[in-house]
Amino acid sequence: EKDLEGREPGVILHHVGVAHRDPADLAANLKHLQLRFLGVRVVDDADPRLTPWMDLLTHAPDGAPIEDATMATRWEAVCIGLATHPDFLTY
């Protein structure tokens, strides 16, 4: 709820909000989450560990813009994915 209300900084949306679409901003937030959830310091935006998460956040099958409600759902999926990731459970 804190994240969706736009309070800064959020728990999941630490560097971005649901309206953000810039890949560099999305990657910065994902790098923060990788460290927070998995204890992995990712420094390069091209790191393959970011690829599946970036695909989730940026892929639009029909090329249409991603609505904010859809982006909120995608960030929720990132949160669930990280919280159930095997590295989180052993970290």
Side-chain angles (χ1 to χ4, degrees):
E1 290 177 11
K2 179 179 174 182
D3 287 303
L4 295 178
E5 291 171 3
R7 292 189 223 158
E8 286 289 330
V11 176
I12 300 301
L13 303 176
H14 193 76
H15 297 287
V16 297
V18 294
H20 286 85
R21 301 294 185 273
D22 181 59
D25 292 340
L26 299 176
N29 200 73
L30 287 169
K31 288 187 276 187
H32 168 78
L33 295 175
Q34 289 279 319
L35 181 60
R36 182 173 185 161
F37 278 80
L38 307 179
V40 174
R41 186 174 307 276
V42 177
V43 295
D44 184 1
D45 287 359
D47 190 306
R49 293 173 287 189
L50 292 182
T51 302
W53 308 107
M54 287 296 292
D55 287 348
L56 174 64
L57 294 172
T58 61
H59 182 70
D62 55 3
I66 300 169
E67 301 293 327
D68 288 353
T70 300
M71 200 63 163
T73 301
R74 290 177 179 207
W75 277 114
E76 185 177 345
V78 169
C79 178
I80 292 167
L82 289 169
T84 59
H85 193 284
D87 291 348
F88 176 74
L89 299 174
T90 58
Y91 172 56

